Every structure is written in structure tokens, then in C-alpha cells.
Amino acid sequence: MKKFLLSSTLLLVALAARAQGDVAEGELNYIFDHETMTATVTQNRWWKEYGGGMGGQWHNTYEGDIVIPETVGGYTVVAIGEQAFAGCKSLKGLSLPDSLISIGSGAFRSCPALETVRFGSDLTYIGDGAFSYCGSFSELALPDSLVTLGNRAFYTDAAPANPFVLHLGPSVRSVGEQAFA
């Protein structure tokens, strides 16, 4: 009986400690917040060693065109975590849900094939370097809801597309240094 009670207690402690959890849904990984019923898209990458264990590089497995859903398993997708898609060499297009309010720092950093992004209508924050070193966008239509654009958010060392069209909404209050350099 003591063994059963101890096992039950440990199971309850483990479940309580899992108020937030990392779970994969389809090809995307999420952190679910059970209190707010929200989800954040997280990294899906792996480490590849080279040089006899002297170094390595992170590789991200997302590719092609990605549509991030508005909800997953009853949770509303509200954020993309830091570096969630960083280094996706084959990511070409991105469609973000209207429920998304935040894109973390470096979320799409170094995605050289990324050409098109459809931003959702409720996005208020794009973090530092979120789209730095991405493909050459010919047009960026940022939503009217956007308030903060981080430092080097769309920084690149590539020549900009000609012509380059930028749409900024009326809610923008803060544009970081070199946001479009």
C-alpha cells in the first residue's frame, strides 16, 4: 500500500510540475501553457558534430512553405519563440496566424531562401534580429497592430530587392537600430 501511495504521489508531482510542456504537433514543436491555454512555436533543431568532436553546428529541420495554425489542440498560438526557425536554409514562405502577437529574437535568423511572409493582424512585437540575414524581400507588409520592431529585425548584408516596398502601420511606436539595414 505504501508503494502505491508513493507512486501515486510521484505521478501527481510530475503532472503538477508539467504546467507547461514541450510537445510536437505535426511538424511544428510547441510549448503549451495550460493556465492561459496558449501555445508558443519552439525550435526543432539538432546538433551535428564535425572535426572529430572539435565543433559542430545546429541544423533546423523546417523547410518549404510553412503555415502556422491559429490553434493547436485547443490552445491559441500567440508566439514564436526565440530562434525557433533560425538557420532554416530551405524555408521559403511563411504564413502567420492572426492570433500571433509576438515573434521572438532571432526567430527566423539566417533563413536565406525566405522570400515571403504573411503577417497576422494581431502581431504587436517583432524581436531583435527576428528576420536578420534572411532572403531578399521585395515587399514587407507589416500589420497595423505592430507596436515594436526590434534592433536589426530585418537586417541583412545582401543587396535589397529593387524596388523594395515597406508598409508600416499607424501603431508603430518603436523601431530599433538598423531595423532595415
Side-chain angles (χ1 to χ4, degrees), residues 66 91-96 103 108 114-120 123 126 131 134 137 139-142 154:
I66 292 181
L91 179 61
K92 292 185 174 236
L94 182 63
S95 182
L96 303 174
I103 298 174
F108 297 94
L114 185 60
E115 297 172 346
T116 59
V117 180
R118 183 218 158 266
F119 293 97
L123 184 67
I126 298 177
F131 292 91
C134 282
F137 299 107
E139 181 175 4
L140 281 174
L142 300 172
F154 291 92

Side-chain angles (χ1 to χ4, degrees), residues 12 16 39 53 70 72 93 95 97 111 125-126 135 152 154 156 160 169 171 176:
L12 289 174
E70 184 121 358
V72 60
S95 182
C111 296
Y125 176 82
I126 298 177
R152 293 183 160 209
F154 291 92
T156 185
S171 298

Side-chain angles (χ1 to χ4, degrees), residues 26-161:
E27 291 186 19
L28 299 176
N29 288 345
Y30 297 90
I31 294 175
F32 294 103
D33 186 324
H34 304 301
E35 290 180 24
T36 62
M37 294 301 291
T38 58
T40 298
V41 180
T42 62
Q43 300 172 358
N44 184 23
R45 60 188 192 160
W46 49 275
W47 180 259
K48 180 179 180 182
E49 285 191 14
Y50 57 84
M54 298 301 293
Q57 183 174 4
W58 285 105
H59 294 272
N60 212 324
T61 58
Y62 298 118
E63 59 184 27
D65 293 326
I66 292 181
V67 176
I68 296 177
E70 184 121 358
T71 62
V72 60
Y75 293 79
T76 303
V77 178
V78 296
I80 296 176
E82 292 184 4
Q83 304 206 12
F85 295 85
C88 290
K89 304 296 184 209
S90 301
L91 179 61
K92 292 185 174 236
L94 182 63
S95 182
L96 303 174
D98 289 337
S99 61
L100 193 76
I101 57 175
S102 174
I103 298 174
S105 297
F108 297 94
R109 186 180 197 281
S110 298
C111 296
L114 185 60
E115 297 172 346
T116 59
V117 180
R118 183 218 158 266
F119 293 97
S121 62
D122 291 343
L123 184 67
T124 60
Y125 176 82
I126 298 177
D128 294 344
F131 292 91
S132 62
Y133 301 103
C134 282
S136 204
F137 299 107
S138 59
E139 181 175 4
L140 281 174
L142 300 172
D144 288 346
S145 58
L146 187 66
V147 175
T148 303
L149 190 59
N151 295 327
R152 293 183 160 209
F154 291 92
Y155 179 88
T156 185
D157 53 6

